[in-house]
Amino acid sequence: MAAHIGRRLRKGAATTAVAAAAVAALSASQAPGATVDDQGRQSTGDATSAPDTAADDSATGNSPYYTDLPPLNSPNPSPSAGSGDAGDQRAGEAGIPATVLDAYKQAEATLREKKPGCNLPWQLLAAIGKVESGQARGGRVTADGTTVTPILGPQLDGNGFALIRDTDNGAYDGNRMYDQAVGPMQFIPSTWDWAGRDGNGDGRKDPNNIYDAALAAGHYLCRFDWDLSQQGDLRKAILSYNNSTDYLNTVLSWLEFYRRGTHEIPDGTGALPVDRSDDTARPGVTPSAPGTTPPARPGKPSGSRPSPSPAAPGNGGSPSTPPVTPPPATPPTPTDTVHHLEDAGTGTLTAMAGHTFAERVSTRAETEAGKAVAKVRIRFTLVGDTDTTFTGGETVATVTTDASGVAVAPALQAGERTGAFAVQAAVVGRSVKGVPYKATVTARAADALALAGEKEPTCVAGGEFAEPVQVKATYRGEAAGKVAVTATLVTSADDPAENDKGPYFKDADGKAVRSLTGLKTDADGQLTLPKLYADDTAGTFLLHLTTTGGATLDVKLTVEPAAAPSPDPDPSTDPAPSTDPSTEPSTDPSETPAA
């Protein structure tokens, strides 16, 4: 026992030193002015403490995590290193299973394209994956990245952990009473519902698939337009994943370690972590590890009656059953008192494609008696066939009710897909009557069209117009981009029928057409029409332009007559040919002049 305690003490001292060194290195490289205390805790002027985040609004529900820290030595094994424990440890800790490493790098590449301003490094995903599940339990995954067995954290029943009642009816974690963190990146079901992504392209969002989970983690860390190359934003993102300063420092330690070098190892051969943050959460109870059944809680039966205890001194040797102490009653939370949700005065939710909705969804949490309930988390979810998002690009937003019981959702940003959809408001962690809000996205429109050029187009009959027609569309004085435009060569201002003569466009086969649809203005509201040609008919013609929203413009086209050809000379005015024989050349050989 003494030897065991000694090993733990030595390990504790070493890992504390590692944390201090790693976080100090990260501070020096990324956060000028940051300080690190003797325990490796870092502080900066803009992020000195963890944000006030509810457990069910973090990725993991603030679930337990692995606290093992990287070794002090370089993660790159030296070629001259022997085969001793130190060299093996460096190689094992720095190695990341091949499939897991590939998932991290693919997620980084995707986020580089989707959210380039986030600057997500794959090493951050690796650091979180190490802390959450030991890189999917040492890379025990199938060829498509799915864990061989599900990875589950302990149930979040409020006994030593956060209290999060079931939100998925056991769909992800198999638990219909409480939520449990799921998969290699340890998402709780309520977070996975909106943060989940399909990273391996199989059409499913599986929290136990490392490709799906890594991509979801990347989007989660980038969801508030944070720039992870900035120390303050990096800290906020990590703390939003699990709201613990110790968690932050552990992740930062692994981030710095992996940044100094790593390498690929075969799946299933990764080093397994040992120490967990819940090692002391339940005195006298063996801590649970992801993938195992949580232990029975102290004072509660585990499915069978307790065995009689041995005879205790002073009781005559008679066996006795220790009394079972009931757990203390948990006082109701504000969430427990919510009976229903009501609309809090939300106006009509309508916006043009590409525009921000003027109205925001507003919901009020109430008791059965209609009294307002403050400090309740309301989840707003976009439902339906839409590409509209909340500010920041997400389809789900969670907001805490204020003192009047009202939660106001972030502004809605309309996408390009038109039509109706819904915003569903629900109480986080409680199944009560929610409120659906109907929203509509209309097509992009313009209320004015103007000719971009100063001169009206002109050409000669049978020719082509030298300059194409250019117009600009506006809506309420601003450029109207991506607005649909129809162009038709009409008979007259009073007759909108398509003309059968005069100027014309050409289709892909070179045939004359006098009506075009499917035209759109560019981002600046400008549109350059295809080249116009003229047949042999001279005169004045009209090009009629219309847009979604009712803006119209008539452009006058002038076709001038072709120039008349020069007339042939009159033969009667030509001099008569000469009939004087003397003027004709002689054909008599005798009259040939002498040489």
Side-chain angles (χ1 to χ4, degrees):
M1 176 63 71
H4 174 73
I5 294 174
R7 286 195 299 272
R8 291 297 297 269
L9 289 174
R10 288 193 297 273
K11 181 173 183 180
T15 53
T16 300
V18 171
V23 177
L26 195 63
S27 301
S29 63
Q30 290 196 354
T35 60
V36 181
D37 64 16
D38 58 356
Q39 299 300 315
R41 298 185 181 90
Q42 186 180 23
S43 63
T44 61
D46 63 337
T48 58
S49 62
D52 182 16
T53 305
D56 57 358
D57 197 35
S58 68
T60 70
N62 298 333
S63 293
Y65 56 91
Y66 288 107
T67 59
D68 295 42
L69 292 171
L72 289 171
N73 296 302
S74 169
N76 291 314
S78 170
S80 60
S83 57
D85 291 342
D88 291 344
Q89 183 190 29
R90 291 195 300 271
E93 295 289 7
I96 298 177
T99 300
V100 178
L101 180 59
D102 184 58
Y104 296 149
K105 292 185 175 181
Q106 282 199 29
E108 179 197 55
T110 300
L111 268 298
R112 189 185 303 122
E113 176 185 352
K114 299 293 184 182
K115 296 187 176 182
C118 180
N119 294 307
L120 171 78
W122 67 260
Q123 292 91 340
L124 176 58
L125 297 176
I128 291 176
K130 180 70 173 182
V131 170
E132 293 296 347
S133 68
Q135 312 298 18
R137 304 297 292 159
R140 288 163 176 78
V141 296
T142 60
D144 70 346
T146 303
T147 57
V148 175
T149 56
I151 299 176
L152 295 174
Q155 65 180 17
L156 301 174
D157 56 8
N159 191 351
F161 309 120
L163 173 60
I164 304 180
R165 294 186 175 88
D166 177 56
T167 61
D168 65 330
N169 199 29
Y172 295 118
D173 54 16
N175 190 334
R176 297 187 179 185
M177 293 188 64
Y178 302 98
D179 273 352
Q180 295 175 247
V182 183
M185 303 304 279
Q186 289 288 276
F187 279 96
I188 55 173
S190 58
T191 303
W192 182 260
D193 270 342
W194 63 266
R197 295 293 192 278
D198 177 15
N200 63 350
D202 64 356
R204 299 175 60 236
K205 299 176 182 178
D206 182 2
N208 279 300
N209 182 280
I210 185 58
Y211 287 99
D212 295 358
L215 184 59
H219 276 280
Y220 185 91
L221 294 165
C222 293
R223 71 195 185 284
F224 290 133
D225 293 329
W226 283 324
D227 179 357
L228 302 186
S229 66
Q230 301 298 315
Q231 181 68 6
D233 284 356
L234 175 65
R235 290 171 59 87
K236 293 174 186 176
I238 296 172
L239 286 168
S240 77
Y241 208 90
N242 190 313
N243 190 20
S244 161
T245 302
D246 289 337
Y247 179 87
L248 168 69
N249 289 333
T250 305
V251 170
L252 288 176
S253 298
W254 283 106
L255 171 60
E256 176 63 17
F257 182 75
Y258 286 135
R259 274 178 166 164
R260 286 186 281 127
T262 186
H263 58 278
E264 176 184 300
I265 60 175
D267 289 344
T269 65
L272 296 178
V274 176
D275 296 326
R276 285 170 53 80
S277 61
D278 58 342
D279 277 356
T280 58
R282 298 175 178 183
V285 179
T286 303
S288 61
T292 63
T293 302
R297 285 162 299 288
K300 290 190 178 182
S302 60
S304 61
R305 295 182 62 84
S307 301
S309 63
N315 66 2
S318 301
S320 62
T321 302
V324 176
T325 303
T330 303
T333 65
T335 299
D336 294 330
T337 66
V338 177
H339 178 265
H340 61 274
L341 296 179
E342 292 286 347
D343 175 45
T346 305
T348 303
L349 297 171
T350 302
M352 187 187 301
H355 289 241
T356 301
F357 282 71
E359 285 286 329
R360 294 167 66 177
V361 178
S362 182
T363 299
R364 175 181 162 96
E366 297 182 355
T367 64
E368 187 173 7
K371 183 179 179 181
V373 184
K375 298 182 179 180
V376 174
R377 304 195 73 76
I378 307 298
R379 178 171 292 114
F380 299 95
T381 306
L382 304 187
V383 180
D385 185 17
T386 182
D387 56 354
T388 296
T389 64
F390 291 109
T391 302
E394 300 297 340
T395 59
V396 175
T398 303
V399 181
T400 302
T401 57
D402 59 17
S404 61
V406 174
V408 180
L412 288 166
Q413 178 65 41
E416 295 301 323
R417 196 170 301 162
T418 60
F421 64 97
V423 182
Q424 181 68 45
V427 179
V428 176
R430 186 169 172 82
S431 298
V432 300
K433 179 185 176 183
V435 182
Y437 296 85
K438 182 180 178 181
T440 305
V441 177
T442 60
R444 288 177 179 264
D447 55 17
L449 269 177
L451 190 65
E454 297 180 358
K455 297 181 179 179
E456 293 180 340
T458 303
C459 84
V460 177
E464 59 185 51
F465 288 80
E467 298 294 335
V469 175
Q470 292 183 318
V471 297
K472 182 168 183 176
T474 55
Y475 182 77
R476 296 179 180 177
E478 300 292 332
K482 299 181 181 179
V483 174
V485 179
T486 298
T488 305
L489 291 149
V490 298
T491 302
S492 68
D494 299 325
D495 186 356
E498 183 179 307
N499 208 339
D500 60 357
K501 58 184 178 180
Y504 60 90
F505 300 106
K506 287 184 179 180
D507 64 12
D509 298 326
K511 296 180 180 179
V513 293
R514 290 186 168 86
S515 183
L516 294 177
T517 59
L519 303 172
K520 281 191 176 182
T521 60
D522 62 17
D524 296 324
Q526 296 188 348
L527 171 66
T528 300
L529 274 67
K531 180 172 287 190
L532 278 163
Y533 302 84
D535 60 13
D536 294 334
T537 307
T540 300
F541 303 87
L542 284 182
L543 172 62
H544 184 65
L545 302 173
T546 60
T547 72
T548 306
T552 63
L553 175 67
D554 288 329
V555 180
K556 186 171 75 172
L557 305 176
T558 302
V559 179
E560 298 176 347
S566 300
D568 292 335
D570 186 355
S572 63
T573 62
D574 292 343
S578 174
T579 57
D580 184 358
S582 63
T583 62
E584 294 293 325
S586 174
T587 57
D588 186 352
S590 62
E591 297 182 2
T592 301

